[in-house]
Amino acid sequence: MKKLIVGLAALALFTTACGTKENTKDADTIKIGGNFELTGPVSAYGTAESKGVQLAIKEINAAGGVLDKKLDYVELDNKSDTTESASVATKLATQEKVSLIVGPATSGATKSATPSLTRAKVAMITPSGTDDGLTLDSKGNVQPFVFRTGFQDSFQGVALAEFAETSLSSKKAVIIGDSSSDYAIGLTKSFKNSYAGEIVADENFTADDTDFNAILTRIKDKDFDVIYMPAYYEQAGLIIKQAREMGIEQPILGADGFSNQALLDLAGEENVSDVYYSAHFSLNNKEKKITDFIKAYTDEYDIAPDAFAALAYDSVYLAKQGIEEADSSDPQEVAKALEKVTDFNGITGNFSIDENHNPVKSVFVIELQDGKEAGGTEVKPK
């Protein structure tokens, strides 16, 4: 009897071990997780990215799936909360046993999710987490399971400083930034290190602020050519509205956090002129793959896509390429394959993944006049 019990126990252990390691190999589907800000202060980003993910998965499944298997999408709401993001990452990796996670949208939520995914050895692709340190640990070593499809803050800051100087002929700048956000802090640092002109004022606010009149009053009578505003749409929209209503007419320059309809809604389209921001793609791009994407997204959701939707859409296709090149849906094999991706042909640009798990790609600086896209300038990586 003891031998039988031991034998059954050993068989059960063997079966469980094989099931854990090969949980995706023999399944009929390949699970992809979504960790997004579907509610909370930055839900406009997360919901746009969720839609981009779902459109890509729908297309991929309609075309036959990946490795002859359909993608099964499991999405959880991190509620725009960093602690919740870590919990969501753990659930997706250990309970849902996904092969890969797309999201979160923000840098803070991505940082929070990283330890959980590192322990579980499941790769994460953040579409729009731009903080330079996301893919590196505190010692500068590459995080083996963290990847992104958006450009880094340092590159955005450099590109925006160059644009301010060359395209806006700026010699003096005012900075109005969010001191409570890793995203804004990184962008401010990069801009300051790159801008050749004079910073005549450096003002700060926090994420829960709604009244910016005191800041705007302090800068109104200063001599400056441009306002550099590293911020998410929630505060940026209000600042633009209050600045324009106060009679501050200088150009306003922001990062990819401006790229959402909510910014126009908060600011009022009539106030959004001479506003420029770094973006990952342009609705005015006439390249066929981009016009096809815009049409498909608009047909699906009855709204045009923003850059966050496009980045998330690309993230799924990047995941697909990683799974195909790994010839496996095993999470660790997928992560290894993602490190070697070259010549990815995406909606937000063609790029390869570098040694630090970042895409090498261009920045587009979009011009807004009367709340409408009026032009764009490509800034290539040097």
Side-chain angles (χ1 to χ4, degrees):
M1 179 63 72
K2 288 183 179 179
K3 287 183 180 180
L4 177 59
I5 292 172
V6 170
L8 288 172
L11 178 60
L13 180 62
F14 175 77
T15 303
T16 301
C18 286
T20 301
K21 185 176 181 180
E22 304 291 347
N23 64 316
T24 56
K25 183 175 181 180
D26 298 319
D28 294 330
T29 60
I30 297 173
K31 276 191 175 183
I32 301 293
N35 179 358
F36 286 121
E37 297 82 341
L38 302 179
T39 58
V42 291
S43 59
Y45 298 143
T47 53
E49 293 191 1
S50 172
K51 289 176 180 177
V53 167
Q54 292 182 65
L55 177 62
I57 288 175
K58 179 180 179 180
E59 290 177 355
I60 291 167
N61 284 342
V66 186
L67 303 182
D68 295 323
K69 298 177 184 179
K70 296 295 178 70
L71 296 179
D72 180 16
Y73 183 49
V74 183
E75 180 177 77
L76 297 175
D77 179 12
N78 67 38
K79 303 175 184 177
S80 300
D81 180 81
T82 54
T83 301
E84 189 68 22
S85 177
S87 176
V88 165
T90 299
K91 289 176 185 176
L92 290 172
T94 63
Q95 295 178 23
E96 296 293 343
K97 299 188 183 302
V98 299
S99 294
L100 179 141
I101 293 173
V102 180
T106 60
S107 294
T110 301
K111 282 185 178 180
S112 183
T114 297
S116 301
L117 296 179
T118 301
R119 287 191 296 270
K121 298 182 178 179
V122 174
M124 162 177 61
I125 302 175
T126 171
S128 52
T130 52
D131 184 285
D132 279 27
L134 290 185
T135 64
L136 305 174
D137 65 19
S138 59
K139 297 180 180 178
N141 299 315
V142 177
Q143 298 277 15
F145 299 100
V146 182
F147 301 82
R148 64 174 132 210
T149 48
F151 36 66
Q152 300 160 261
D153 286 340
S154 58
F155 182 40
Q156 284 196 86
V158 170
L160 290 168
E162 180 181 331
F163 180 83
E165 294 165 20
T166 58
S167 296
L168 300 180
S169 302
S170 169
K171 297 185 184 332
K172 295 181 180 181
V174 166
I175 297 174
I176 304 177
D178 181 354
S179 61
S180 64
S181 162
D182 290 338
Y183 167 79
I185 291 169
L187 282 164
T188 298
K189 180 180 178 181
S190 178
F191 184 87
K192 282 182 174 179
N193 290 341
S194 303
Y195 184 63
E198 178 187 357
I199 307 295
V200 301
D202 187 357
E203 299 284 348
N204 292 288
F205 61 87
T206 58
D208 55 353
D209 290 342
T210 57
D211 185 351
F212 304 95
N213 282 288
I215 289 174
L216 296 171
T217 298
R218 285 196 294 271
I219 71 165
K220 182 178 180 182
D221 294 326
K222 291 184 180 292
D223 179 22
F224 65 93
D225 305 311
V226 66
I227 297 174
Y228 175 63
M229 193 189 302
Y232 292 132
Y233 66 84
E234 192 174 30
Q235 286 75 39
L238 294 175
I239 295 171
I240 292 169
K241 176 180 175 63
Q242 292 169 27
R244 294 304 190 229
E245 290 178 348
M246 192 179 285
I248 296 173
E249 298 179 351
Q250 285 92 333
I252 294 173
L253 186 59
D256 61 339
F258 280 31
S259 182
N260 192 275
Q261 176 64 36
L263 178 122
L264 302 178
D265 295 339
L266 288 165
E269 292 190 3
E270 69 279 7
N271 293 316
V272 186
S273 289
D274 290 327
V275 173
Y276 306 82
Y277 67 93
S278 51
H280 304 265
F281 97 124
S282 168
L283 287 170
N284 288 335
N285 192 316
K286 301 306 179 185
E287 191 175 348
K288 186 177 186 304
K289 67 179 179 181
I290 296 177
T291 57
D292 286 348
F293 162 70
I294 294 170
K295 183 179 186 305
Y297 188 96
T298 304
D299 288 348
E300 185 75 16
Y301 301 114
D302 199 29
I303 188 174
D306 61 14
F308 293 90
L311 284 166
Y313 179 90
D314 273 356
S315 296
V316 175
Y317 276 95
L318 179 63
K320 174 180 181 287
Q321 185 166 327
I323 293 168
E324 288 174 337
E325 293 187 6
D327 194 26
S328 169
S329 54
D330 177 79
Q332 294 184 58
E333 295 302 315
V334 174
K336 290 177 184 177
L338 286 173
E339 291 183 332
K340 301 173 184 176
V341 167
T342 59
D343 300 323
F344 175 78
N345 188 12
I347 299 301
T348 62
N350 301 332
F351 60 83
S352 299
I353 298 297
D354 71 11
E355 67 275 10
N356 291 326
H357 295 185
N358 299 310
V360 181
K361 64 194 304 187
S362 296
V363 169
F364 292 92
V365 180
I366 303 297
E367 174 186 353
L368 297 176
Q369 300 291 347
D370 296 318
K372 303 292 190 300
E373 187 173 322
T377 303
E378 182 179 3
V379 182
K380 295 182 179 180
K382 295 181 179 180

